[in-house]
Amino acid sequence: MLGKKLVTAQKRGETRALCLGLGMVTCSMMMYFFIGITIVPFYTKSVWTTETMCKVLKANIKDKVLCPNSKGSEEEDIFPYPCLQVWVNLTASGQEVMLYQTEDTLETNPKCSYVPGKSENSKEVKARIETIASNFKKYQTFPCYYDPGGTQTNVILSRLYPPKGLLFAFLWPTLMFTGGCLIIVLVKISQYVSVLSAWQ
């Protein structure tokens, strides 16, 4: 009687472990799919792939401009902010080009190097932009990214999805997939050993 209970408990544990492993594999595949349709297209779309050094030539704050917070946004999402324009000397080619914070900055407002997030407090936005401008004037040389193909003549300060970020995004689903497969393999080995022991 006790032996039957132990066998039943063992089968239940194996079933739960098998379900856990299959669930981990399924979740990891869903994460792979999600990353593949969200992050990967933005990574492959970016043409600013080569890193070089940029030297600040001038960093000026122009008059306030109106800019939507996102494409197709409502009128209430349009807010004024000081327009920071940073011009740098590209070490790779020696050209004078305009610097943008990220790829999205150029798409949001090509006139400004930095586009702040929507904020009701205009003083905070102004102070932040002035701080960024002073930092550019203080640190004259810094790494930046440019388009080696020449499609875009401007440069960006940082990529939204660099190679390290893409690898980090794939790290967690890979670990989950590996763990799920390991659990399934261990359960199958346990079942094989149990059948072999019973046969003997």
Side-chain angles (χ1 to χ4, degrees):
M1 187 68 178
L2 182 60
K4 291 183 178 180
K5 289 183 178 179
L6 290 174
V7 171
T8 303
Q10 183 181 3
K11 287 183 177 180
R12 287 179 180 175
E14 290 175 350
T15 302
R16 291 174 181 175
L18 191 62
C19 290
L20 175 62
L22 292 173
M24 291 175 66
V25 171
T26 304
C27 288
S28 64
M29 297 305 293
M30 293 175 62
M31 292 174 68
Y32 279 129
F33 177 75
F34 179 75
I35 294 173
I37 63 174
T38 55
I39 298 178
V40 174
F42 287 105
Y43 174 79
T44 55
K45 181 182 176 182
S46 178
V47 294
W48 296 271
T49 55
T50 305
E51 184 176 355
T52 185
M53 297 301 294
C54 288
K55 185 177 181 180
V56 176
L57 297 176
K58 53 185 176 181
N60 302 324
I61 299 178
K62 302 295 183 180
D63 295 334
K64 288 187 176 182
V65 296
L66 293 175
C67 182
N69 197 29
S70 59
K71 290 184 178 180
S73 57
E74 301 292 337
E75 289 187 2
E76 56 266 18
D77 290 332
I78 299 177
F79 61 99
Y81 61 89
C83 182
L84 172 64
Q85 292 183 345
V86 180
W87 292 87
V88 298
N89 186 356
L90 187 61
T91 306
S93 61
Q95 294 178 329
E96 180 180 339
V97 295
M98 188 168 178
L99 174 74
Y100 295 93
Q101 184 185 13
T102 62
E103 297 94 332
D104 282 352
T105 307
L106 178 61
E107 293 183 2
T108 304
N109 187 359
K111 295 181 180 180
C112 304
S113 298
Y114 173 76
V115 177
K118 185 180 179 182
S119 174
E120 297 179 358
N121 193 339
S122 59
K123 292 183 179 179
E124 292 181 0
V125 174
K126 182 180 179 181
R128 190 184 312 120
I129 292 177
E130 290 177 351
T131 302
I132 294 173
S134 63
N135 287 335
F136 276 120
K137 293 176 181 179
K138 183 179 180 181
Y139 304 101
Q140 291 286 313
T141 306
F142 50 87
C144 59
Y145 295 90
Y146 75 100
D147 176 18
T151 306
Q152 294 287 344
T153 56
N154 42 58
V155 295
I156 60 174
L157 181 61
S158 59
R159 299 181 64 183
L160 286 174
Y161 302 103
K164 291 183 179 179
L166 190 65
L167 291 175
F168 184 77
F170 278 106
L171 175 63
W172 296 112
T174 302
L175 291 176
M176 184 179 292
F177 180 80
T178 304
C181 291
L182 184 61
I183 291 174
I184 294 173
V185 170
L186 291 176
V187 169
K188 291 299 181 181
I189 291 175
S190 176
Q191 290 176 347
Y192 175 76
V193 171
S194 297
V195 172
L196 187 62
S197 300
W199 182 77
Q200 290 179 349

